């Protein structure tokens, strides 16, 4: 493993035809190293649920080995990772022999739309060769006598093939066996022939039905166990919190799939039950045959419908497609939605719809000819850490940030990735010079998820949190029980001042357009602005002459400042940047107290009366307003003419106060922002995900998983007119 790097494995791919004894020895050595690296990675992935190599890197090494073995058959050894699929069975779970093997899917390597075209062609040329076999003389060993199915004949006559296109869920495959409608066994894929009995753990997944109604006496359902992104974030946050508190049993996970695999293969079902898992069904395994009264499906589309009827979650994203162009469109559409989906996918799967045609096409080794996976660009990649910088945030928090060799991942070039705090740096053991796994999924900020100690250079440097603030030189402290280090410089620290100004001006706070990072840097560095009050004292002369500031842009900024003098109270409270007070809490506080004076005068006890305000928030708010320098800035702002819109009567109850709404899909007459504003004006909260605490889901057209979740949890679903009625009533 040591001396295989991405560069080498790529570079070597171009000189596969090297000749001579030396060359042979070098190739044999390379193949050996590739085998060792792949074995090790497979063990980490399948058996330990602790993968080190990103999939993209694994695939590269795997393909290089396949290529070497194809060009030099003497290098192909029986134990080679290319000769088997899946992983070994972990001690601790009983082995389960699958009644029908669990197959893998061939991956179409090109990530462009050509993948769909190629699949369609491959199916067609296979059918053509079968047709030719029909015409061979009866004594030819290749002769075939049974006729082709109707769908095959239609395709050969030029009809478009019918496909089902599905997301390729990034979780782990599961086979669920039901006898007389009762879940009797759940098994992992294992090596495809034999998996592990994880029934106890799977029973804890709410989305997996334990009893079926109207299902045939014998039914095996194949599908994917996965973890939603929000559930993953929450779980990891909780695990990190426990680790910080010294809990040795806690561990955090690299990605949702890894977390899902860890939960499924958790030996203690009690712990598995606490891990939030989800499930999608996508295939059948063994089933009562039609001759014995079982269902007689003609198409996969019918199968998916039946799975839904029996109570299994089937993704709303699956589509019927005719011909390769529709497959390619599906690939592109889903690719565009990928970041916004509530779960990870790593590609799409194209499947032949007609089951008769599937039987006709059959398998090559363990891969069916009737399905192919078409992947997306990877969301995890390897790169090197060039340095670890420390950034100072608005509240003085010091954040270690890895400076990276630029790497293309999740659709963007990443050069920096947060390491959160010192504890995280040490837990992941990231050192300068290390090769690390970088992940970027969705619009989540890029993250270093793991380092590869195997590839660590001898001179790699461990990270040490500085004792003095790198910006202002003040002492750095870490409070008891907290993971974060903070600069004690407060307003003295220009980094903190800059961040505070940027936050004050940000879109969701005072929304001062044009006051961005470059400008704030100059204003602070030239001593033009110390506090947020100074912003409103700026004169045209102060601005003209700054970098990229012409008269026009200076006037625009002054106009924007002028406009920001009147904002709703909650925005102003948010803009103050009080520790622990985000947008939501600011809203709650503004709503509860109605005026800034009432809020400033509130005792910790009074603050605790606000819904969802706990002791930490109450303390922080109280402390903030008790500081003379904060009172002074607020007085200055008032003197400068700032007047936030306060609720006239703080005791007037808001009609939808205490109600939580979730918006999903497209409403006919309102944008999402407008709907949210209307609801919030009536005192409701608008949350981004559906939970037991949700009171109403407002669903428009093309509502997806949130709607499904609401229905599952029995939450009231209304449409736009239902929402308007609630608002009108109130
Ligand atoms: S069908 C051959 N459908 O991909 C048919 N698999 O390499 C068997 N997967 O381990 C699988 N999404 O975990 C199928 N919509 C989907 C899938 C899917 C993800 C995974 C599955 C399996 C792997 C196949």
């Amino acid at each position: 493993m040591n001396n295989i790097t991405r560069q080498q494995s790529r570079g070597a791919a171009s000189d596969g035809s090297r000749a001579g004894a030396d060359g042979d020895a070098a190739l044999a050595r390379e193949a050996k190293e590739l085998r060792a690296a792949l074995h090790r990675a497979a063990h980490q992935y399948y058996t330990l649920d602790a993968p080190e190599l990103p999939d993209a890197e694994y695939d590269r090494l795997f393909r290089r080995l396949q290529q070497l073995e194809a060009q030099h058959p003497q290098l192909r050894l029986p134990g080679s990772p290319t000769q088997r699929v899946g992983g070994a069975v972990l001690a601790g779970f009983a082995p389960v022999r699958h009644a029908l093997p669990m197959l893998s899917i061939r991956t179409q390597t090109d990530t462009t739309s050509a993948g769909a075209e190629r699949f369609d062609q491959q199916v067609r040329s296979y059918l053509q060769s079968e047709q030719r076999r029909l015409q061979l003389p009866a004594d030819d060993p290749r002769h075939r006598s049974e006729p082709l199915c109707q769908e095959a004949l239609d395709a050969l006559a030029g009809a478009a093939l019918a496909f089902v296109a599905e997301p390729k869920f990034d979780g782990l495959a599961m086979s669920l066996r039901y006898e007389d409608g009762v879940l009797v066994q759940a098994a992992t894929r294992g090596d495809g022939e034999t998996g592990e009995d994880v029934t106890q753990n799977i029973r804890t997944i709410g989305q997996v039905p334990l009893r079926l109604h109207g299902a045939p006496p014998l039914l095996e359902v194949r599908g994917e166990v996965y973890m939603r992104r929000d559930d993953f974030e929450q779980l990891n946050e909780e695990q990190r919190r426990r680790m910080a508190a010294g809990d040795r049993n806690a561990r955090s996970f690299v990605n949702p799939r890894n977390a899902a695999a860890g939960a499924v293969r958790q030996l203690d079902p009690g712990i598995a039950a606490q891990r939030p898992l989800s499930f999608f069904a996508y295939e059948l395994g063994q089933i009562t045959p039609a001759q014995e009264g079982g269902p007689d499906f003609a198409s996969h589309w019918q199968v998916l419908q039946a799975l839904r009827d029996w109570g299994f979650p089937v993704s709303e994203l699956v589509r019927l497609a005719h011909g390769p162009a529709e497959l390619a469109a599906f690939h592109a559409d889903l690719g565009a939605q990928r970041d916004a989906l509530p779960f990870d996918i790593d590609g799409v799967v194209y499947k032949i719809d007609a089951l008769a045609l599937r039987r006709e096409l059959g398998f090559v080794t363990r891969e069916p000819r009737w399905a192919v996976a078409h992947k997306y660009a990877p969301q995890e990649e390897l790169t090197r850490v060039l340095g670890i910088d420390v950034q100072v945030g608005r509240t003085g928090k010091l954040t270690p940030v890895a400076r990276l060799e630029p790497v293309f991942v999740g659709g963007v070039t990443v050069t920096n990735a947060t390491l959160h705090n010192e504890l995280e740096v040490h837990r992941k053991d990231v050192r300068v010079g290390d090769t690390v796994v970088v992940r970027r999924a969705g619009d989540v900020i890029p993250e270093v998820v793991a380092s590869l100690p195997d590839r660590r250079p001898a001179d790699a440097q461990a990270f040490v949190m500085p004792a003095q603030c790198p910006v202002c030189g003040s002492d750095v402290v870490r409070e008891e029980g907290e993971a974060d280090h903070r600069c004690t410089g407060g307003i003295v620290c220009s980094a903190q001042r800059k961040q505070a100004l940027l936050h004050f001006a940000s879109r969701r706070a005072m929304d001062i357009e044009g006051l961005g990072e470059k400008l704030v840097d100059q204003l602070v560095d030239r001593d033009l602005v110390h506090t947020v009050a100074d912003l409103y004292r700026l004169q045209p002369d102060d601005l003209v002459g700054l970098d990229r500031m012409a008269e026009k842009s200076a006037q625009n900024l002054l106009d924007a400042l002028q406009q920001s003098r009147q904002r709703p109270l909650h925005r102003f409270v948010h803009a103050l940047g009080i520790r622990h007070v985000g947008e939501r809490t600011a809203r709650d506080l503004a709503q509860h107290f109605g005026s800034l004076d009432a809020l400033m005068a509130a005792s910790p006890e009074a603050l605790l009366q606000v819904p969802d305000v706990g002791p930490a928030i109450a303390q922080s708010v109280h402390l903030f307003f008790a500081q003379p320098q904060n009172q002074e800035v607020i007085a200055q702002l008032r003197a400068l003419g700032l007047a936030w819109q306060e609720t006239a009567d703080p005791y007037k109850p808001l009609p939808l106060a205490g109600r939580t709404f979730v918006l999903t899909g497209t409403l006919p007459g309102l944008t999402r922002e407008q709907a949210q504003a209307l609801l919030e004006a009536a005192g409701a909260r608008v949350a981004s995900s559906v939970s037991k605490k949700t009171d109403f889901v407002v669903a428009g057209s093309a509502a997806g998983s949130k709607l499904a979740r609401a229905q599952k949890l029995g939450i009231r679903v209304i449409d736009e007119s239902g929402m308007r009625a609630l608002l009108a009533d109130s």
Side-chain angles (χ1 to χ4, degrees), residues 77 213 237 245 247 264 294 371 548 629 642 656 674:
L77 305 180
H213 297 284
E237 218 165 277
D247 181 344
V264 166
R548 300 197 225 177
Q629 70 270 31
L642 265 81
L656 297 180
Q674 288 168 333

Side-chain angles (χ1 to χ4, degrees), residues 97-114:
R97 189 141 180 99
H98 297 301
L100 290 178
M102 287 183 79
L103 304 170
S104 44
I105 311 182
R106 191 164 50 86
T107 299
Q108 201 75 269
T109 42
D110 39 359
T111 47
T112 64
S113 59

Side-chain angles (χ1 to χ4, degrees), residues 113-177:
S113 59
E117 194 65 52
R118 198 187 307 268
F119 178 46
D120 187 76
Q121 274 311 321
Q122 282 163 342
V123 169
R124 287 174 182 281
S125 63
Y126 179 79
L127 294 176
Q128 275 156 7
S129 67
E130 286 303 293
Q131 194 178 38
R132 282 196 294 275
R133 286 179 54 203
L134 279 170
Q135 279 130 35
L136 290 172
D139 60 350
D140 188 307
R142 291 164 303 167
H143 170 76
R144 141 175 197 157
S145 52
E146 72 275 31
L148 293 173
C149 67
Q150 189 56 46
E151 287 84 356
L153 296 173
D154 292 348
L156 288 166
L161 286 164
F163 301 97
V164 175
E166 302 178 7
K168 188 169 191 300
F169 310 106
D170 204 3
L172 66 156
M174 193 62 55
S175 186
L176 306 174
R177 189 175 171 90

Side-chain angles (χ1 to χ4, degrees), residues 102-107 165-174 189 222-225 281-283 300 318 346-349 351 358 363 366-368 370-371 373:
M102 287 183 79
L103 304 170
S104 44
I105 311 182
R106 191 164 50 86
T107 299
E166 302 178 7
K168 188 169 191 300
F169 310 106
D170 204 3
L172 66 156
M174 193 62 55
R189 172 156 166 252
R222 305 266 164 94
E224 199 87 350
V225 171
Y282 49 62
E283 284 291 332
H300 181 54
V318 299
D346 57 349
V348 296
V349 184
K351 299 174 176 177
R358 285 192 181 190
F363 309 91
R366 301 265 186 79
E367 297 170 346
W370 47 261

